[in-house]
Amino acid sequence: MGFWSSNRKPWGLQWRSSVWFVTTVVGFGITTDLLVYSIIIPVLPFQLERLSYHQVSALTGWLLFAYSIGLVLSTIPIAIFSERYSSRRVPLVFGLIALLGSQVIFMEAPNFAIMALARVLQGISSSMVWIVGLALLCDTTPEKNVGRQLGIAMTGLSVGLLVGSPAGGALYTRFGFRAPFVFGEICTLVDLVLRLLVIERDVALRWGYDPSGPNVVVLEAPDAHRSAHPFQLPEIQFSTTTFEISDTGANKIGHSIPLDKPKQLRDDSLGQPSLSVSRRSSRSSILTSLPVRKPIPLLSVVRKLSQSPRALVALTMAFVYGTVTSMQEPSLPLHLQDVWGYNSDQVGLVYLAALVPALISSPLSGFLVDKQGPSYLTCICLFLALPWWIVMTLRSSLPLFVFALAAQSFFVSGVIAPVTTELAAESKNMAGVGYAHVYGAFNFAFGIGTAVGPVIGGQIYDRARHGWTALCCITSAFIVICITLAFCYTGADPLLSKILHQQHPPNLVKKPDEESSAGSSRFDVISND
């Protein structure tokens, strides 16, 4: 069927390797990952109480911590494997197999220790999606559209949380503890089928198709599929020729043909590439060069990332995002239960209302990043998210609390597309650092945040007199730090740099004495003539 390497042209080559199909698969993979992650959040406290455990909030936090441990520990090996062996789809498929296994183990876990082990395995599978999936998407997408496609794929984060939490509460209430896991396994199987269908860009290039430029001219097709009736052209000697093919609404792509190469034209009606060059080897080539990944040592990657302020700030925001979102997970259901007497179904509905706005903010921010850059957007989203965390400390009105939760979710989710786009841009500026490296670093920072967040949230909520208020204040302080960093370092031209340039523009005008001396010199030359 063409799932793996073959000497036969894969069926459905164009749509299976297209930017939009890859975006859909990566987005659905993120959706599945977050759905499986979040579907048990509303039910974990109640299940632990049913099993006669005490200090439920803290235990829930440790289960979420176990997930993050698996995510963090697997990040570096997965990133290195993906870049060194030029493979994206293989780790994605094995990640889904690990996800299926983790759900079965958790569903049948007789005690807390087995639950924790299953969460570690689930964290490992999550790393596959976040590192390799985002790298695959950036491999396929034209650079000018990376922000848009990342924003669309990141919508899966909100969709997964949106579906997972209410579905978990409803299924647990009506069908018992196993029902949420059965639902998650069905979604995982669908995701597995989609991932098997994906064709990576370097494979598509060997068969004469570039998904990032569908109208690209083909240099060479596989020898086994050469037409028996090509129309031969004599050798043409010239310095450089650029062929351009464009359709209405399509991007124009031009490529230079190497010198001293015999040209060969094929008939499109034969279903073969329209332009070909005489055979060179057993495999094909395309006018755009195949993506070559030249891995560098891990320490060199770490050194290059640590020397980039833009990358460090983006990774700091990934850490803060993971910490802030995960601090709520063990504490928000208990806060709603303590203050307003909510059960698991009602907690799921609150999550539903809070996450709907994020479905809009993620693709919208991705579109704006491509148009305006990340500096303005990141600062605005963070600044507008800040006041709603103060509002959420109030206990006077449930509708106001839900609205504030939704508002902060809208603006916080709007930061993800700029952060991931920043990392993709910095990868381009670092020789030997690939997409899997930067998204591995992103996953590592995010994983550490999700590791410490639930523990902080659970412990503070259980032990502090006003635990929820304390968590909201801590989150506000994190956001203030991120605003400051984004103002100073985010983007190729950060806001601080723009303001300084406006206040103190570069002195491009010559001083009067320099102009007079230059004028006199010109006069002297004329006089001497």
Side-chain angles (χ1 to χ4, degrees):
M1 296 180 66
F3 288 155
W4 309 104
S5 299
S6 172
N7 291 326
R8 300 181 60 185
K9 181 178 179 180
W11 62 271
L13 173 66
Q14 294 190 9
W15 66 266
R16 288 172 61 190
S17 63
S18 67
V19 173
W20 286 104
F21 182 70
V22 172
T23 303
T24 301
V25 173
V26 174
F28 189 80
I30 294 174
T31 299
T32 302
D33 177 63
L34 269 297
L35 183 145
V36 173
Y37 172 82
S38 64
I39 200 169
I40 61 172
I41 290 175
V43 306
L44 268 182
F46 304 101
Q47 176 68 7
L48 290 171
E49 288 178 350
R50 192 181 69 83
L51 296 175
S52 302
Y53 284 103
H54 304 289
Q55 294 185 332
V56 169
S57 179
L59 289 177
T60 302
W62 284 114
L63 281 178
L64 300 177
F65 175 80
Y67 166 89
S68 300
I69 287 295
L71 187 146
V72 169
L73 293 180
S74 62
T75 290
I76 294 176
I78 292 170
I80 293 175
F81 174 88
S82 183
E83 287 297 329
R84 177 165 297 177
Y85 297 100
S86 299
S87 176
R88 306 295 194 205
R89 189 175 57 172
V90 172
L92 285 174
V93 171
F94 278 104
L96 275 183
I97 296 174
L99 184 61
L100 284 170
S102 70
Q103 293 177 83
V104 173
I105 293 173
F106 203 115
M107 181 172 63
E108 300 299 331
N111 54 49
F112 181 83
I114 303 299
M115 288 182 177
L117 177 63
R119 293 293 282 183
V120 170
L121 185 59
Q122 185 181 335
I124 295 173
S125 68
S126 179
S127 292
M128 309 279 188
V129 176
W130 286 98
I131 299 173
V132 188
L134 295 181
L136 173 65
L137 182 56
C138 289
D139 286 340
T140 308
T141 305
E143 188 174 354
K144 65 179 182 178
N145 296 328
V146 166
R148 181 189 69 187
Q149 300 305 122
L150 284 173
I152 294 172
M154 285 298 177
T155 306
L157 190 152
S158 300
V159 173
L161 294 174
L162 182 68
V163 176
S165 297
L171 290 171
Y172 176 78
T173 301
R174 289 168 175 78
F175 302 107
F177 185 63
R178 287 185 174 85
F181 296 96
V182 173
F183 181 72
E185 288 164 359
I186 293 172
C187 294
T188 305
L189 290 173
V190 174
D191 192 13
L192 178 60
V193 173
L194 292 176
R195 294 192 196 186
L196 288 171
L197 288 174
V198 167
I199 295 177
E200 298 181 45
R201 180 172 178 258
D202 56 351
V203 175
L205 289 175
R206 296 190 185 101
W207 292 95
Y209 180 73
D210 185 0
S212 65
N215 293 323
V216 74
V217 178
V218 179
L219 257 179
E220 196 175 283
D223 295 340
H225 294 275
R226 292 186 179 277
S227 171
H229 308 285
F231 173 68
Q232 297 286 349
L233 286 180
E235 285 197 18
I236 305 171
Q237 300 292 337
F238 50 82
S239 59
T240 303
T241 299
T242 300
F243 286 80
E244 295 184 354
I245 297 179
S246 62
D247 297 322
T248 304
N251 296 325
K252 184 178 290 185
I253 304 174
H255 300 282
S256 297
I257 294 183
L259 302 178
D260 304 326
K261 298 289 184 181
K263 309 324 185 266
Q264 187 181 60
L265 187 65
R266 295 185 184 277
D267 186 357
D268 289 341
S269 64
L270 298 175
Q272 300 293 339
S274 59
L275 180 65
S276 168
V277 176
S278 63
R279 65 184 68 206
R280 177 190 303 168
S281 61
S282 61
R283 272 297 174 189
S284 63
S285 172
I286 197 166
L287 283 170
T288 51
S289 58
L290 289 173
V292 179
R293 301 178 184 125
K294 297 180 180 179
I296 60 176
L298 178 62
L299 291 179
S300 298
V301 174
V302 174
R303 177 176 55 81
K304 290 189 175 187
L305 289 175
S306 63
Q307 292 174 349
S308 170
R310 291 177 65 184
L312 288 177
V313 169
L315 295 176
T316 300
M317 291 185 187
F319 166 78
V320 171
Y321 179 79
T323 304
V324 166
T325 54
S326 60
M327 278 198 306
Q328 304 175 47
E329 290 163 356
S331 55
L332 181 59
L334 295 176
H335 178 68
L336 292 170
Q337 184 185 43
D338 294 341
V339 178
W340 290 287
Y342 270 25
N343 58 27
S344 61
D345 284 342
Q346 294 167 317
V347 169
L349 291 176
V350 171
Y351 274 108
L352 179 68
L355 291 171
V356 167
L359 298 177
I360 303 172
S361 64
S362 184
L364 179 61
S365 64
F367 175 80
L368 293 175
V369 164
D370 286 336
K371 298 296 182 182
Q372 304 295 332
S375 55
Y376 286 107
L377 185 63
T378 304
C379 291
I380 290 173
C381 286
L382 289 171
F383 183 78
L384 294 178
L386 180 60
W388 298 109
W389 284 96
I390 307 301
V391 174
M392 283 196 295
T393 62
L394 304 177
R395 300 187 173 200
S396 57
S397 172
L398 177 61
L400 178 62
F401 179 88
V402 175
F403 181 84
L405 189 65
Q408 68 82 24
S409 176
F410 178 87
F411 292 115
V412 170
S413 297
V415 179
I416 301 302
V419 168
T420 51
T421 305
E422 275 280 272
L423 292 172
E426 280 299 275
S427 174
K428 292 285 188 181
N429 299 329
M430 301 178 188
V433 178
Y435 291 129
H437 290 139
V438 293
Y439 289 125
F442 171 86
N443 196 63
F444 189 82
F446 178 79
I448 293 175
T450 56
V452 301
V455 177
I456 294 173
Q459 296 294 329
I460 290 179
Y461 190 87
D462 277 344
R463 300 177 185 278
R465 182 176 181 182
H466 301 287
W468 178 255
T469 300
L471 291 174
C472 290
C473 292
I474 292 172
T475 300
S476 300
F478 277 136
I479 292 177
V480 170
I481 294 172
C482 288
I483 292 173
T484 305
L485 293 175
F487 182 77
C488 296
Y489 296 108
T490 295
D493 188 16
L495 291 182
L496 177 61
S497 177
K498 292 178 181 178
I499 294 174
L500 291 177
H501 287 162
Q502 291 177 356
Q503 297 294 328
H504 306 284
N507 189 10
L508 300 178
V509 182
K510 292 183 177 180
K511 296 180 180 179
D513 55 345
E514 293 177 351
E515 291 181 349
S516 61
S517 63
S520 62
S521 298
R522 289 193 298 268
F523 179 77
D524 292 340
V525 172
I526 294 173
S527 300
N528 292 333
D529 291 342

